[in-house]
Amino acid sequence: MSNPQAWKHFNDIVLSVLVPAYNEGATVETIMDRLAQVPLKLEIVAVNDGSSDDTGAHLDRLLTIGKVHRVVHHSKNRGKGAAIRTAIAAATGDV
């Protein structure tokens, strides 16, 4: 019996990392730098959950320089659960 899904080698798997952010302008780049140190293939999906500080601007800048792979903005704060659901919908990694 053959498996309809081909197994990928460990080194070929892309791990989606979901980063909900609310008023994290002062720390969001440090978080992304720490994630860059993880020795795995990562897809970083960040959701600015209606922040009232400069979190959104920081995430957009990090996207342009390649430290984040996808950024989604909520126009108002919808809560961590909603931010996670939005990130899951935007993620394209294997895990």
Side-chain angles (χ1 to χ4, degrees):
M1 199 184 265
S2 69
N3 185 350
Q5 278 188 320
W7 290 92
K8 289 188 175 185
H9 186 274
F10 176 77
N11 292 329
D12 296 328
I13 293 175
V14 176
L15 174 65
S16 294
V17 178
L18 313 178
V19 182
Y22 178 70
N23 291 342
E24 295 291 340
T27 59
V28 72
E29 187 161 12
T30 301
I31 293 165
M32 300 311 165
D33 289 340
R34 295 287 303 269
L35 285 171
Q37 296 173 4
V38 175
L40 299 170
K41 288 184 182 180
L42 302 179
E43 171 200 34
I44 301 172
V45 180
V47 176
N48 173 31
D49 192 25
S51 298
S52 58
D53 68 354
D54 57 355
T55 299
H58 281 291
L59 289 174
D60 289 339
R61 180 180 57 79
L62 294 171
L63 178 66
T64 63
I65 62 175
K67 289 188 177 185
V68 178
H69 301 99
R70 192 162 286 106
V71 174
V72 181
H73 297 277
H74 287 172
S75 59
K76 64 178 185 172
N77 183 271
R78 295 170 43 194
K80 189 174 186 177
I84 292 291
R85 287 188 296 276
T86 296
I88 289 170
T92 61
D94 299 302
V95 179

